[in-house]
Amino acid sequence: MLEKTTQNWKSQAEELDIESRAFINGRFVDAVSGETRTCFNPADGSRLAEVACCGPEDADVAVAGARAVFERGDWAKMAPADRKRILVQWAELIEQNTEELALLECLDVGKPISDTVNVDVPSAVRTIRWSGEAIDKVYDEIPPTPADTLALIQRLPLGVVAAIVPWNFPLSTTAWKLAPSLATGNSVVLKPASATPLSALYIARLAAEAGLPEGVLQVLPGPGGSMGKHLALHMDIDGLTFTGSTPVGQLLMQYSGKSNLKRTFLELGGKSPNIVFADANLDKAAAMAAAAVFYNGGQTCTAGTRLIVEEKILDAFMDKVTGHAAKWMPGNPLDPATRMGPMIDEAQHNNVAEYVKIGHEEGAVLTFGGNRVLDETGGYYHEPTIFCRVSNQMQIAQEEIFGPVLSVIPFADVEEAVNIANDSIYGLAGAVWSNDINTAHSVAAAVRVGTMGINNYFGGDITVPFGGFKQSGNGRDKSIHAFHDYTELKTTWIEFE
Ligand code: NAD
């Protein structure tokens, strides 16, 4: 598969049969209104598919179907070992279709094919397989009580869960939501991002093939502001799991409060600090500093967008980082050698250009990139871009740009590094690079984020929880901890006569 050339992938893309209808009650259907939305390939602006554009009326049908199957217990009351069998089979089918699914994700999102083949699809497979395998191995609790009583503490599914996901990692974030919510017995109504619904529709077909009962998973492509809002305000949805921007997350909390207090778990934005001390392995730190911000074109919630560097090594270290930045020049995502693709759409492309302008106006020093490129392709490409001598008060250091723009901020000592790192509304991720165990651990402990790397960036696995502090959110995806977001604790107290 990896030996394939750009031309091989291009030919295969032309043959793809793309499913573009909503998946409701086990069938692919058009939106009730008949409306569609065009899905574009960000690599060249070409039209990929006309996708069903669902509205509140479709959502009501999907929620009613999800509720009915939940109440019947077709899935919720199925023995955990049987749910496991179906989820593991689903993971197998996704794995068997890696090539086609990776291609679809590449075309829909503009992600490099080498990433979708090696990262996105395997990560979704592992997430679903792991959660499925775990579900008949987690036990409930019996607490210590007096001898004439017995108490049970059980985790029960919430009921109907709505999952709303973003466009930057459509397949992986969908898997992070679906695997634990389905494993714990819920019915789920998934709303993919309007720009990137194709991989979710693809895996819905495979879920049915694996034996997931009708109505347990509904996939509704449609706009966030109307259909997504309708789901978030719905009185018959018990839980809402969301990955996306902080402003939309704030709205969802309000919608929950205005409706039925549905359990609402949010994975939101970030402006993550990547702190480099002079005593670190600087070659490795420099390579990863570039990868941390340029991977996925910087359209990554955990992107290491604030590179906080010990002043005395700043120039020498930045020479190394710049050398690596040059290896991230964007290119055709279907080329297996491409590391960085386009921005998702024109609006995001403009947004990145606007922040570059702001960086100049704020007095930051542009040392690499800064331009739109490859305009002739019709795609939305931007160079990897580095601003040096940035102050943490600047807009480019405080706001999530969601593009390949790095802000480099110098520091003098440990205290200053930690203060800069924590001076953010966000608290999603970060890293510290140092070969001094005391420095590394004390900084890692002091930085208020959900995931912190020591001498690595983007480290982690399905076995560890992922989520944010502060305005980066409140829920946790991945690991057994994710199961808690999709279950209610129930106590049963028994007295013997
Ligand atoms: P977004 O918030 O604009 O949209 C996310 C989803 O919410 C989409 O499906 C959208 O249609 C929907 N939506 C929009 N308005 C809505 C409303 N009023 N009611 C209900 N749903 C609505 O985010 P995006 O631009 O798709 O994704 C980028 C953002 O996601 C960034 O901020 C990024 O940091 C964040 N993100 C976070 C994580 C994480 O795990 N913390 C992971 C990936 C992305």
Side-chain angles (χ1 to χ4, degrees):
M1 183 185 316
L2 289 177
E3 286 86 52
K4 280 192 160 183
T5 63
T6 312
Q7 190 50 47
N8 295 148
W9 286 113
K10 216 169 153 222
S11 308
Q12 194 175 343
E14 279 156 17
E15 302 299 313
L16 268 185
D17 184 13
I18 297 178
E19 179 52 71
S20 57
R21 293 167 296 170
F23 184 68
I24 301 178
N25 294 332
R27 291 188 309 128
F28 284 101
V29 292
D30 293 324
V32 170
S33 66
E35 277 181 39
T36 57
R37 180 187 190 277
T38 308
C39 215
F40 294 100
N41 179 350
D44 57 12
S46 64
R47 186 187 148 281
L48 275 178
E50 290 298 326
V51 178
C53 185
C54 295
E57 58 285 8
D58 304 283
D60 288 345
V61 173
V63 173
R67 170 63 59 195
V69 73
F70 182 76
E71 297 302 337
R72 279 201 310 273
D74 302 7
W75 179 249
K77 292 184 186 154
M78 190 184 273
D82 292 333
R83 290 208 301 269
K84 171 181 78 173
R85 192 176 37 76
I86 291 172
L87 290 175
V88 170
Q89 174 63 12
W90 187 25
E92 301 285 321
L93 289 174
I94 295 174
E95 191 166 43
Q96 284 164 21
N97 287 279
T98 295
E99 200 173 301
E100 198 167 85
L101 186 52
L103 179 58
L104 194 61
E105 190 82 331
C106 167
L107 298 172
D108 202 17
V109 191
K111 277 171 180 285
I113 190 74
S114 51
D115 287 342
T116 57
V117 168
N118 296 311
V119 182
D120 297 82
V121 178
S123 144
V125 169
R126 177 147 164 75
T127 302
I128 295 170
R129 186 179 280 143
W130 191 90
S131 299
E133 283 174 347
I135 197 61
D136 65 348
K137 297 170 190 68
V138 284
Y139 289 71
D140 287 332
E141 297 166 43
I142 296 183
T145 54
D148 58 351
T149 62
L150 174 68
L152 311 177
I153 304 173
Q154 288 171 290
R155 288 204 167 271
L156 302 180
L158 293 178
V160 178
V161 170
I164 302 181
V165 297
W167 48 259
N168 62 334
F169 285 88
L171 184 60
S172 336
T173 46
T174 293
W176 285 7
K177 302 302 190 194
L178 294 186
S181 57
L182 291 173
T184 44
N186 296 280
S187 299
V188 185
V189 180
L190 170 74
K191 193 203 90 60
S194 312
T196 56
L198 302 182
S199 55
L201 293 169
Y202 189 99
I203 64 168
R205 176 175 59 78
L206 299 181
E209 224 175 294
L212 196 72
E214 284 176 16
V216 173
L217 171 63
Q218 319 274 40
V219 183
L220 298 178
S226 51
M227 205 267 289
K229 179 176 175 182
H230 184 75
L231 289 174
L233 282 167
H234 209 291
M235 294 301 286
D236 204 23
I237 287 182
D238 307 289
L240 174 58
T241 177
F242 173 76
T243 295
S245 63
T246 295
V248 173
Q250 288 171 326
L251 284 176
L252 297 185
M253 285 294 223
Q254 293 174 33
Y255 298 157
S256 166
K258 277 186 192 157
S259 54
N260 60 345
L261 289 177
K262 54 182 67 63
R263 308 295 177 258
T264 299
F265 293 103
L266 309 171
E267 303 290 348
L268 307 174
K271 193 76 192 175
S272 298
N274 187 13
I275 307 169
V276 182
F277 284 87
D279 67 356
N281 175 341
L282 296 182
D283 289 328
K284 189 174 172 200
M288 281 312 296
V293 65
F294 302 134
Y295 181 73
N296 205 31
Q299 302 170 119
T300 305
C301 52
T302 50
T305 45
R306 292 186 297 148
L307 181 59
I308 303 172
V309 184
E310 193 163 358
E311 176 85 61
K312 64 185 177 199
I313 55 157
L314 185 65
D315 292 338
F317 183 65
M318 287 316 298
D319 283 347
K320 290 178 193 283
V321 176
T322 306
H324 287 286
K327 299 176 194 160
W328 287 87
M329 288 307 279
N332 180 357
L334 287 177
D335 180 346
T338 293
R339 293 173 95 174
M340 186 167 98
M343 305 290 94
I344 187 73
D345 58 20
E346 195 179 356
Q348 186 60 13
H349 203 204
N350 291 339
N351 192 39
V352 173
E354 182 59 26
Y355 272 108
V356 171
K357 190 165 151 260
I358 290 171
H360 284 298
E361 286 165 5
E362 289 183 305
V365 182
L366 182 79
T367 57
F368 192 81
N371 300 304
R372 297 169 191 251
V373 285
L374 303 175
D375 276 353
E376 67 284 3
T377 60
Y380 312 113
Y381 298 88
H382 198 283
E383 287 177 320
T385 296
I386 302 177
F387 279 109
C388 272
R389 301 277 164 196
V390 172
S391 136
N392 198 52
Q393 305 315 315
M394 290 179 185
Q395 225 174 315
I396 58 166
Q398 287 292 327
E399 295 176 12
E400 190 180 42
I401 299 173
F402 233 51
V405 182
L406 180 64
S407 293
V408 184
I409 307 167
F411 71 85
D413 56 25
V414 169
E415 193 186 352
E416 192 184 12
V418 169
N419 286 342
I420 293 170
N422 283 335
D423 178 18
S424 169
I425 62 165
Y426 298 111
L428 189 56
V432 54
W433 298 79
S434 169
N435 276 331
D436 181 324
I437 193 169
N438 300 305
T439 306
H441 273 282
S442 58
V443 170
V447 176
R448 298 201 37 83
V449 296
T451 300
M452 190 74 186
I454 295 181
N455 295 336
N456 72 85
Y457 206 94
F458 292 141
D461 183 38
I462 180 66
T463 51
V464 290
F466 175 82
F469 285 18
K470 303 196 269 183
Q471 292 187 42
S472 289
N474 60 346
R476 288 295 179 270
D477 286 326
K478 307 200 304 175
S479 82
I480 294 292
H481 293 275
F483 289 10
H484 303 330
D485 290 3
Y486 301 104
T487 49
E488 296 279 21
L489 274 183
K490 176 158 184 177
T491 297
T492 307
W493 186 269
I494 306 157
E495 291 185 2
F496 302 123
E497 302 210 334

